[in-house]
Amino acid sequence: MQFLCKEYQDGNPRVRSLVTETRIHLVPSLNPDGYELAREAGSELGNWALGHWTEEGYDLFENFPDLASALWAAEERKLVPHKFPNYHIPIPEHYLGEDATVRHGAGHGAGLVMGRWCLTPQCPPWQVAVETRAIMAWMDKNPFVLGANLQGGEKLVSYPFDTARPISETLAAAPRPPDDYEDDNPELQETPDHAIFRWLAISYASAHLTMTETFRGGCHTQDMTNAMGIVQGAKWHPRAGSMNDFSYLHTNCLELSIYLGCDKFPHESELQQEWENNKESLLTFMEQVHRGIKGLVTDQQGEPIANATIVVAGINHNVKTASGGDYWRILNPGEYRVSARAEGYNPSVKTCSVFYDIGATQCNFVLSRSNWKRIREIMAMNGNRPIRRIVPGRPMTPRERMRLRMRL
């Protein structure tokens, strides 16, 4: 924060452009109570682990609704997308209560058991932390596009899914080639935006001074990143109910976990070098929010349309417009067929190109009113039965005359 303010005042063109064109939100600590406890104990002998939990004992990074398991259970039952959405999945009502208790099922957080949220006595209870509620409310209030939670204890970038998908009965029964990586790790489920997440993760890791120098191994174990400094969360540290998975499935935001270094509490003399290690990475990562497409969705009178759906062909994950009809969609360079859809309007489709240079492509949509709403009303008046076409010159039957009077 100090760097951005100072460089902005000093006229740094890169920082001025970033601050002027980007709405930047900074949260100093998601778990201030835990941080203070760990800081007082110091980093020796693993005391830093004390800061992993809140004062009430909650692990915030596994305390969010497990929407991934809900989505996969719905997919198994063929409910997606007609009865269960695969984006902007709503928070379960029982999770929002003041005394909400989330119950975990069979190793999966906020768990789904047979497609239902697990609320039976057989599932151990898990309370919803006040910090978790605050972050969820904050996410719902602001239309975030790109996010990162900064952590320590490792040196890598982790991206969704963090949840390991259970092996379905169909997959378990299928023969598996022994040399195929995907089949050796059937629990790994890529997001529809897997390529984009990898781009974002690489943008940070490649600009870091030491993150890709993995020849010495990881901080505590062997290198899990294939010498790239990036890894899918479910491969490295599978956990359900993570903030990254929740952000992806409930909002428009692509969120990653960035582990800045091996020492959670580096000595004061090491802070300057740690800052230099991460400075360029932080700037490069924030600039990625301007990669892809952006625009406005309006009606023919120029009025913004909120909650319109932006669909990118080939990526089975949509985003929605904000209250002002504006939207942002991070995409890798390429040419995309994009459509905008909204209730009561005819969809609009166009081709949008994304280039390698930073700067999102403007891709606006103007939607015309649809007649389907009136057609559905007429169909309902007719008992949702097909309406018989009136042939000119042919006399109407008494029943047809009666129906016409009712409609008029």
Side-chain angles (χ1 to χ4, degrees), residues 390-406:
I390 300 175
V391 181
R394 183 180 66 80
M396 297 174 61
T397 65
R399 179 174 294 180
E400 290 174 341
R401 210 174 281 116
M402 177 67 70
R403 288 177 178 170
L404 180 62
R405 290 197 191 98
M406 291 176 62

Side-chain angles (χ1 to χ4, degrees), residues 26-36 51 60 131 135 150:
L26 300 175
V27 179
S29 177
L30 185 62
N31 180 15
D33 294 333
Y35 174 82
E36 286 300 320
L60 297 182
E131 293 90 347
I135 289 296
L150 308 180

Side-chain angles (χ1 to χ4, degrees), residues 23-291:
R23 195 163 44 180
I24 303 172
H25 295 249
L26 300 175
V27 179
S29 177
L30 185 62
N31 180 15
D33 294 333
Y35 174 82
E36 286 300 320
L37 182 64
R39 185 182 64 84
E40 292 173 2
S43 61
E44 299 299 325
L45 301 177
N47 287 332
W48 55 264
L50 295 172
H52 192 74
W53 293 274
T54 67
E55 187 176 11
E56 290 79 18
Y58 303 130
D59 180 354
L60 297 182
F61 289 97
E62 298 182 8
N63 196 237
F64 289 81
D66 180 14
L67 302 182
S69 293
L71 172 62
W72 297 332
E75 286 179 349
E76 291 289 331
R77 300 174 65 183
K78 312 296 184 185
L79 300 178
V80 179
H82 305 292
K83 295 184 179 181
F84 194 97
N86 58 5
Y87 67 99
H88 277 255
I89 300 175
I91 301 173
E93 292 184 6
H94 67 263
Y95 200 98
L96 300 175
E98 288 298 324
D99 56 347
T101 298
V102 180
R103 295 182 181 273
H104 291 217
H108 285 273
L112 268 199
V113 177
M114 299 299 291
R116 304 185 305 275
W117 289 99
C118 184
L119 298 174
T120 65
Q122 288 74 26
C123 300
W126 190 256
Q127 295 290 334
V128 183
V130 62
E131 293 90 347
T132 305
R133 295 179 189 278
I135 289 296
M136 289 195 300
W138 186 54
M139 289 178 173
D140 283 335
K141 182 180 179 181
N142 298 281
F144 294 121
V145 181
L146 178 63
N149 48 82
L150 308 180
Q151 305 184 51
E154 259 300 349
K155 192 161 53 176
L156 53 81
V157 180
S158 171
Y159 54 89
F161 282 119
D162 293 325
T163 308
R165 183 168 187 169
I167 303 175
S168 66
E169 294 182 3
T170 302
L171 182 60
R176 289 183 255 164
D179 296 330
D180 187 74
Y181 175 81
E182 293 290 337
D183 289 318
D184 284 343
N185 296 272
E187 74 279 3
L188 292 184
Q189 175 73 28
E190 296 179 354
T191 69
D193 286 290
H194 184 73
I196 299 169
F197 273 119
R198 285 181 58 85
W199 175 291
L200 295 171
I202 290 173
S203 74
Y204 193 98
S206 61
H208 193 280
L209 295 187
T210 63
M211 191 170 284
T212 56
E213 296 178 359
T214 58
F215 51 86
R216 297 187 184 89
C219 292
H220 308 289
T221 58
Q222 65 178 359
D223 174 40
M224 296 291 294
T225 71
N226 295 325
M228 296 184 67
I230 69 171
V231 66
Q232 183 179 341
K235 175 185 177 182
W236 171 54
H237 183 192
R239 55 187 177 185
S242 75
M243 183 163 63
N244 294 351
D245 288 0
F246 171 79
S247 180
Y248 180 66
L249 292 174
H250 180 66
T251 76
N252 290 343
C253 184
L254 306 182
E255 179 139 0
L256 299 84
S257 292
I258 299 175
Y259 293 80
L260 303 174
C262 297
D263 192 349
K264 277 183 174 286
F265 291 93
H267 190 270
E268 184 178 354
S269 62
E270 300 172 329
L271 290 179
Q272 183 60 38
Q273 184 58 52
E274 290 294 336
W275 164 243
E276 294 298 332
N277 288 344
N278 289 278
K279 178 176 66 175
E280 178 61 29
S281 295
L282 289 166
L283 292 173
T284 300
F285 181 81
M286 287 193 290
E287 289 171 338
Q288 301 309 304
V289 76
H290 297 291
R291 184 178 299 284

Side-chain angles (χ1 to χ4, degrees), residues 370-381 407:
S370 169
N371 293 325
W372 277 108
K373 183 178 180 180
R374 179 56 181 159
I375 291 173
R376 282 195 292 267
E377 291 175 352
I378 295 175
M379 289 288 292
M381 293 172 60
R407 288 198 295 269

